[in-house]
Amino acid sequence: MFRPVMTAGAAVALVAAASFAPSSAAADRVPPPDRVVIDVMAVNGSGCPAGTAAVALAPDNTAFTVTYSKYLAQVGVGAKPTDFRKNCQLGLNIHVPQGFTYAIAKADYRGFAHLESGAVGMERASYYFQGMSHTTTVSHRFAGPLSDNWQTTDVTDAAEVVYAPCGAQRLLNVNTELRVSAGSSDPSDSTSFMEMDSTDGSVSTLYHFTWKECP
């Protein structure tokens, strides 16, 4: 598994990773054959302290992953008052071959959750291009009791897919958030948490491209 620590301004190299797989939406749009490069321009948020987030590009240009190692929201014993919410904001400069543009057609998120009976967790994600008003935001709710891996998939309808403007370089802003509430559980003698973490070697988030040729 390729797990480089990428900092602002660092370029993402092409890597071979078996975990990458094209979505059905991406499969009907042939990706460019030439090299795509992702520069990580900004990493901000309580869920991704410096050095804990990494980005990798699929070798066939169909997708990219973001992995985290310190993305944990929790309430209860051992948790700080601010730990109930964690977030991460990434600014990605995606350089594509001339004559092509891209959009995000599908996004997969995964992690692990332990929620006591009565506790509630939430995962939220959005992404948008710099300078464009359209923002895709999707939330998923989890209810305790739960102690297992979790996974969500957000798919954008073909008619609502927003492509980066042809001939213009725009940052892709990717925002994620985890929240945990004690609800009716007792936080004085238990802990509930959700994490979007890759410590077990699995991929945390996978963003599927869809491509089109510019006029």
Side-chain angles (χ1 to χ4, degrees):
M1 177 58 62
F2 178 67
R3 297 186 59 204
V5 173
M6 303 304 298
T7 57
V12 178
L14 295 177
V15 296
S19 57
F20 289 106
S23 67
S24 58
D28 60 8
R29 301 283 189 176
V30 178
D34 296 329
R35 189 170 186 261
V36 174
V37 174
I38 303 178
D39 289 330
V40 183
M41 306 304 294
V43 182
N44 298 294
S46 55
C48 53
T52 65
V55 179
L57 181 68
D60 59 1
N61 294 335
T62 60
F64 69 91
T65 63
V66 182
T67 59
Y68 307 94
S69 59
K70 296 290 183 181
Y71 206 150
L72 172 71
Q74 60 181 339
V75 294
V77 178
K80 299 176 183 178
T82 57
D83 285 346
F84 78 97
R85 176 185 180 272
K86 293 296 176 73
N87 75 302
C88 185
Q89 303 177 9
L90 301 177
L92 307 178
N93 196 2
I94 301 179
H95 304 273
V96 303
Q98 186 174 2
F100 285 85
T101 187
Y102 72 94
I104 304 300
K106 178 182 174 183
D108 301 316
Y109 304 89
R110 57 174 62 89
F112 184 85
H114 175 81
L115 301 174
E116 296 288 329
S117 180
V120 177
M122 187 268 291
E123 174 265 325
R124 175 179 294 162
S126 66
Y127 48 87
Y128 62 94
F129 291 108
Q130 178 186 23
M132 300 179 68
S133 59
H134 183 87
T135 303
T136 300
T137 304
V138 182
S139 299
H140 299 274
R141 184 178 180 274
F142 301 83
L146 173 67
S147 188
D148 203 352
N149 295 319
W150 61 267
Q151 179 172 344
T152 63
T153 297
D154 302 337
V155 179
T156 303
D157 293 337
E160 298 179 359
V161 169
V162 177
Y163 287 87
C166 285
Q169 198 67 45
R170 301 287 181 87
L171 289 184
L172 174 65
N173 295 289
V174 176
N175 302 325
T176 54
E177 177 183 350
L178 293 178
R179 285 179 181 256
V180 177
S181 170
S184 60
S185 67
D186 185 358
S188 66
D189 66 356
S190 65
T191 303
S192 293
F193 67 88
M194 280 191 70
E195 62 181 344
M196 187 146 42
D197 197 299
S198 60
T199 53
D200 64 350
S202 64
V203 171
S204 293
T205 63
L206 177 61
Y207 296 90
H208 303 261
F209 289 124
T210 182
W211 295 93
K212 72 175 182 180
E213 295 188 34
C214 294

